[in-house]
Each structure stands twice: as structure tokens, then as C-alpha cells.
Amino acid sequence: MSASPLVGWDEVAAAAPDGLAVLDCVGRFVRLNPAAAVLLEAASEGELIGEPSPFTPTEGVGACRAGLLEARSDEQVAHWEPTFGPRREFAYRTRSLPSDPKFAVVSFRDVTDEWHRQRRIAAIAKTSIALASEGSLGSTLDAVARQIVQADGLAGVQILTLDSTGRELRLMGSAGLRHWDGFLERLLECRDRGARLCMLDTLKERKPIVVPHRWAQILEDPAWEPLHAYLGELNWDSFVSVPLMARGRPEGVLNAYFAPGQEIGSRTLEFLAAMAEQAALAVDHAMLLQREREGARRNERQRLARDLHDSIVQQVFSIGMQANAVGVLGARDEAVPAEAVRNFADEVGALSRTVLADLRAMVHELRPSSSLRLGLEDAVTTLVKSTENRTGLDIRLLYGQEVDAVEPDLAEDMYRIVAEAIHNVVKHAEATTVTIRLGVRDHTLTAVIRDDGCGFADSGGRRDAPDGEGGRRTGSPRHHGYGLTTMRERAERWGGTMRIRSGARSGTTVRVVVPLPVRVPQVPPADSERGQNAPSAVPLTKAEHSARSGS
């Protein structure tokens, strides 16, 4: 005699902790257990009967294996957006009913929080990998911003860094927001109009600042009008600013823009703090590496300049003296015909003076710092004159306003970019005329170098190359590409961009745009590592004194 079951299957389904549902052949709900109704946020099981489900009824479809850093499993994943509340993620499995294959049984569970944590862990791990790569600081911070947006589904992220004095901010990384060179200029305008900048409080207090419904506040504040259109491109609501701390001092801020309905809890702040720490490490490493490279370059330039001056320049000067001596001998009208000796003396003298001028120009290029103390304009002017004397190129140099107000480190990098562009023209372009425009407008430093040479579009057509990939039709593409990469990296160091437009019949135009930094009011040095003689802080505006906060 068989034993009767202690519990009926209907009672088992009703008590099951996971959601159970029966679907028809097109994925509509036929039956659900109470747990399924709760997970789907329905008032009762009957409310969803006949409604489309988020599940795929076919067995095994969509299953995937997990990667090392991927938040995936062998279960399928479904996304459910209830009428009210945030979107949920369900991990589920399906099986066809043996008695009627037109129907499928689905078991599912809510993995929203679990997978969210996995995505965050993967984001931190991937960011650590990005920090170990050889990319520029800008590309590294872009990667950090992208990982945050992907892990938490944020509307956007910006990462701004402080300079070595702790007084100027630069936008160096972003995701979700359109790249706009005028952002910092407009932000500065908003601040001058009295807008509250939350990131300044973050830098001062060295702790996260959370502002719920920040977008609504900005829309209502006329001081933010210059950025209303730009920030309005995002679908966002609340705002969080987290400091980038390294060695006990602030290196910048991480600004997070949250989509409507997203909650900002302690775990969210913990994740943003972890990612901000990764970004701070990248900034600190980049600063240390930059100091080391600058020191090595400075020493090498000084050594080369000293060697050139002590040996080659003196030898060429001696050639000039010898030429003068031959001229003296020829003037005595002895065995050597005077005219021949004079011609020889003139030729050798002219050659020695030309070589001497070129070598001095080389010394200047190796040691531009002395000229840059007089300003970027004088340094580029000297470089252009030297190139014209050496090559015969016709170089037209046009300056805008405030070029010499650019800080020395940025001025040197811009000088190097212009010098490399001129070098490329001389070596590859077969050009006769070059036009260089250099100026500051709308709080942005811009350099444009245009030549009338052969271009480097391999097929003869026009092309735009944001990073200068590819080589000219003449010369060494590999070497030329390396030079363009160096130019791009110099621009990205300051949060700038480089664009190249080239055609076989229209020459090449290199355009470099670097947004100038925003001054940070009242951000004192963190410790002695900033230096005992660090510049005093810029005073707060009247509005900032009254608001004491700021985005």
C-alpha cells in the first residue's frame, strides 16, 4: 500500500520562497505563486494573469557563462520595471511542461542587489587594471568614470583634478556627459554670478557632499543659466561630490549625477569612495611620474645644450676665424689670387654663420625654458624665425589675447606641440607656407597649425583623425605617428584634445584645444607636502561667503 503525500503540490508552490510561474507559448503569465506576485510587486496572483512576462519561455535561451570580472551566471536574466519603484533584475530558469510543451514553468529570484554588488566589485577590479596600463591620465580617468556609470547606471560622472598648488581644477575624465571644451569656462561664469558649487565644499571639508534633487535647484537658480542647456542634456536628479584623497591631501573631486529615482545609500557612497580612491591613486601616480620625467628631460636638455655649446659651436666659430685669416692672406696679393681667396673666405664665413645660427636654434629648442620665462609668444616666435632661416618656409604667425598669461608648464607643453607640428611639416609635408594661430578665447587655449603640403590621406581623400593615426604619404609613418601620439598625450595631460584634418590637395590642419583651469577659492594645502610657501587661497566671492557650498 503506497503512502499518501503529506503535503499537496499546490501547498508547496504557495510556500516556495522563490517565484514560480507558468507561461504560455508567447510568454504570458498563466499562473503564479504568491512569492512571484510579491517579487513582481503585484497586489495578487490574478492581477498578472494574461499579462506579458519578462521571461523567455524557451528553455536555455540567453544563458551565458561568467567571465572572471563579469557579473553573470549560468542563469538567464530578466529586467522588470514595475509601475512604481526601481527596475528589478531576476535570475531565472525555464522548463517545458512534459504533459504540454506549449507551456513552460519558470522559477526566478530577485538578484538586483546581488548583481549590483558584483558589478561594483568588477568595476573596482577593472579600474585597478586600467591604472596599471600605460594610458594617459585623461584616458585612465575616463575609464574610471565609465566603470562607475556602467556599474551603477548613473546618468553621468565627471572627474576633476587639482594642480600642484591646490588652486586650479581641470576636467580630466567624464562619462555620460558630452565632451564640451567650454564647460569649465561656463562653470566659472556661473560661480561669478553667485552659483553654489558643491565641489568646493567637498574639497574644503574633504568628505562627500550629497545634494538630493540638485537638478531642480539648478533649474530654479538664474545664476546657473549658462549651464542649463548643457546639464539639461542629462536625465538626472540628485548629485554627489566625493573628494579624491591621496597622502592625506585632496587631489580633485569625483562628481556623480544620479538618474531620477536612484537612491543614494551608504553602499552607494562606499562604492563612489572606493572609485574615488582609485582615481586619486591615478592622479598621484601621474604627478609623480610627470615630475620624474620633467627632471630627466631637464637634465638631458641641459647636458645636450652644454655639449653642443662647448664643442660644435666653438668649432664652427673657429671655421669662421680661419675663413677670416684666409681673407687676410688674400688681401696681401701674394701667390694665391686675391679674388679666389676672398670668395673662399666669404663662402666659409657665410656657411659658418649659418651653421652657428642653426646650432644656436637647436640649443634654444633643447632649452626652451629660458625663452618661456619671457612668455609663450616669444618662445614660438624665436622657433619660427629659426625654422624660416633654416628651411626657407614661409611661416605666418598670428597671436590672440592672453597667450603669455598661460602657466609655465602648460606653455612648455604647447610649445612642444607647436614645435613637433612644425617638425612634421618640414620633414613630411613638402609645404611652402605654414600658418600658426595661437590664442586664448572663452577661457580656452587654442593652437592651429595649417600647411599647404601633400597631406597624409592615403587614398587622396580628406579625413579627420582625432588622435592622428596613420602616416603621411611620404616619410616614415611609424615615426610620424609617434610624434602625433606625443602631441596628443601632451594635450590630454591638461584635459585638452587634438584634431587633425588632412587631404592630398588641401594640406593638413592640426587643432589643439586646452580648456584653462578654474580657480578654486579657499582650498588650503593639506599638509607640508604642498610646501610651506604655497600660494595663499583665492578669496571667496560674496555669494560663496553666504552660500558656503557649491556643483
Side-chain angles (χ1 to χ4, degrees):
M1 184 175 74
S2 62
S4 59
L6 298 177
V7 181
W9 285 112
D10 289 343
E11 187 176 353
V12 171
D18 287 345
L20 297 174
V22 179
L23 311 179
D24 63 15
C25 60
V26 293
R28 291 176 298 198
F29 287 114
V30 175
R31 190 172 181 182
L32 303 92
N33 71 339
V38 171
L39 289 172
L40 296 167
E41 300 188 15
S44 64
E45 300 96 300
E47 180 181 335
L48 293 172
I49 300 302
E51 294 295 324
S53 78
F55 310 112
T56 302
T58 305
E59 185 175 338
V61 174
C64 61
R65 294 186 176 182
L68 179 61
L69 299 178
E70 299 295 332
R72 293 289 184 270
S73 71
D74 58 350
E75 297 173 301
Q76 299 181 64
V77 182
H79 301 281
W80 176 256
E81 295 189 9
T83 305
F84 303 101
R87 188 178 74 164
R88 313 303 298 173
E89 290 178 302
F90 297 133
Y92 71 98
R93 293 184 175 88
T94 62
R95 294 291 186 272
S96 298
L97 281 177
S99 59
D100 193 343
K102 295 194 301 295
F103 295 96
V105 176
V106 178
S107 64
F108 62 98
R109 57 192 178 91
D110 191 340
V111 294
T112 305
D113 293 338
E114 175 186 346
W115 282 35
H116 194 181
R117 287 193 297 271
Q118 291 180 5
R119 282 195 296 270
R120 286 174 169 175
I121 293 172
I124 294 173
K126 290 180 179 179
T127 301
S128 298
I129 294 173
L131 296 182
S133 67
E134 298 181 358
S136 66
L137 178 61
S139 61
T140 300
L141 295 183
D142 278 340
V144 174
R146 283 195 302 271
Q147 290 297 332
I148 297 172
V149 169
Q150 293 170 5
D152 270 25
L154 301 186
V157 169
Q158 291 175 323
I159 301 177
L160 296 94
T161 63
L162 280 170
D163 71 348
S164 58
T165 67
R167 298 180 61 188
E168 292 184 339
L169 278 171
R170 291 184 181 278
L171 178 60
M172 294 297 293
S174 65
L177 293 96
R178 172 177 58 87
H179 179 80
W180 182 31
D181 293 327
F183 170 75
L184 288 179
E185 208 291 2
R186 294 294 181 267
L187 184 66
L188 186 65
E189 182 179 347
C190 293
R191 191 195 71 178
D192 293 341
R193 293 165 59 130
R196 302 169 54 195
L197 303 180
C198 298
M199 69 178 74
L200 300 184
D201 283 349
T202 301
L203 289 170
K204 178 184 176 183
E205 300 176 14
R206 303 182 186 181
K207 66 180 183 180
I209 300 294
V210 180
V211 188
H213 312 300
R214 180 59 170 155
W215 175 229
Q217 298 173 13
I218 289 177
L219 277 178
E220 294 173 358
D221 188 350
W224 281 99
E225 191 276 333
L227 281 175
H228 279 170
Y230 177 68
L231 294 178
E233 296 175 4
L234 279 183
N235 180 28
W236 69 289
D237 178 28
S238 299
F239 176 83
V240 173
S241 185
V242 182
L244 310 183
M245 301 296 299
R247 307 187 191 195
R249 65 176 185 262
E251 298 286 1
V253 291
L254 186 155
N255 294 333
Y257 299 80
F258 286 75
Q262 288 185 321
E263 297 182 359
I264 306 174
S266 59
R267 288 183 176 176
T268 298
L269 293 178
E270 183 180 356
F271 170 64
L272 291 178
M275 296 300 284
E277 183 177 357
Q278 299 278 355
L281 289 174
V283 175
D284 188 54
H285 175 72
M287 292 180 65
L288 292 174
L289 188 61
Q290 183 63 31
R291 292 193 194 104
E292 182 179 349
R293 288 175 176 173
E294 286 176 353
R297 285 200 300 265
R298 189 182 307 112
N299 293 337
E300 182 65 12
R301 287 198 302 266
Q302 291 174 351
R303 184 189 67 80
L304 289 173
R306 183 174 59 252
D307 291 346
L308 285 171
H309 185 272
D310 291 344
S311 58
I312 301 176
V313 173
Q314 292 181 5
Q315 293 177 15
V316 174
F317 179 76
S318 298
I319 295 174
M321 294 296 293
Q322 293 174 9
N324 291 332
V326 173
V328 172
L329 292 176
R332 295 175 180 175
D333 198 20
E334 294 179 352
V336 180
E339 184 177 359
V341 173
R342 291 192 188 97
N343 290 338
F344 175 79
D346 291 341
E347 290 178 3
V348 173
L351 177 62
S352 66
R353 288 191 296 271
T354 300
V355 173
L356 183 60
D358 287 346
L359 287 174
R360 283 174 174 168
M362 291 175 59
V363 171
H364 170 77
E365 291 180 16
L366 289 168
R367 300 184 63 185
S369 300
S370 58
S371 296
L372 285 170
R373 294 192 190 100
L374 303 176
L376 179 60
E377 182 175 339
D378 285 344
V380 174
T381 299
T382 303
L383 173 65
V384 165
K385 289 181 178 178
S386 172
T387 304
E388 286 182 322
N389 292 335
R390 187 176 73 254
T391 65
L393 268 177
D394 178 15
I395 303 179
R396 303 168 186 173
L397 190 54
L398 305 174
Y399 288 108
Q401 299 178 351
E402 301 181 15
V403 172
D404 285 342
V406 176
E407 62 180 278
D409 288 344
L410 173 56
E412 179 163 349
D413 272 338
M414 185 58 76
Y415 172 90
R416 297 291 185 184
I417 290 172
V418 173
E420 179 65 27
I422 293 175
H423 171 77
N424 287 339
V425 172
V426 172
K427 187 172 182 180
H428 303 286
E430 302 174 5
T432 58
T433 302
V434 181
T435 301
I436 301 174
R437 297 178 184 272
L438 195 62
V440 175
R441 184 178 180 183
D442 293 334
H443 210 65
T444 301
L445 173 63
T446 302
V448 180
I449 304 93
R450 178 181 294 111
D451 67 65
D452 61 355
C454 62
F456 62 88
D458 294 335
S459 60
R462 181 172 296 278
R463 63 174 293 184
D464 291 307
D467 58 355
E469 65 267 26
R472 290 187 184 273
R473 294 187 301 164
T474 60
S476 170
R478 174 178 295 182
H479 176 76
H480 185 70
Y482 175 79
L484 292 177
T485 299
T486 302
M487 294 166 63
R488 174 174 54 81
E489 289 176 348
R490 289 185 183 276
E492 288 182 350
R493 175 192 173 194
W494 304 97
T497 58
M498 185 178 80
R499 295 289 184 270
I500 297 178
R501 188 171 177 84
S502 183
R505 298 182 179 179
S506 57
T508 299
T509 299
V510 177
R511 180 180 179 85
V512 179
V513 178
V514 177
L516 297 181
V518 170
R519 282 295 179 96
V520 179
Q522 202 164 334
V523 181
D527 50 33
S528 60
E529 291 189 39
R530 287 288 187 199
Q532 297 295 328
N533 299 319
S536 58
V538 181
L540 286 168
T541 65
K542 185 180 296 183
E544 287 165 336
H545 271 298
S546 60
R548 303 300 294 178
S549 59
S551 145

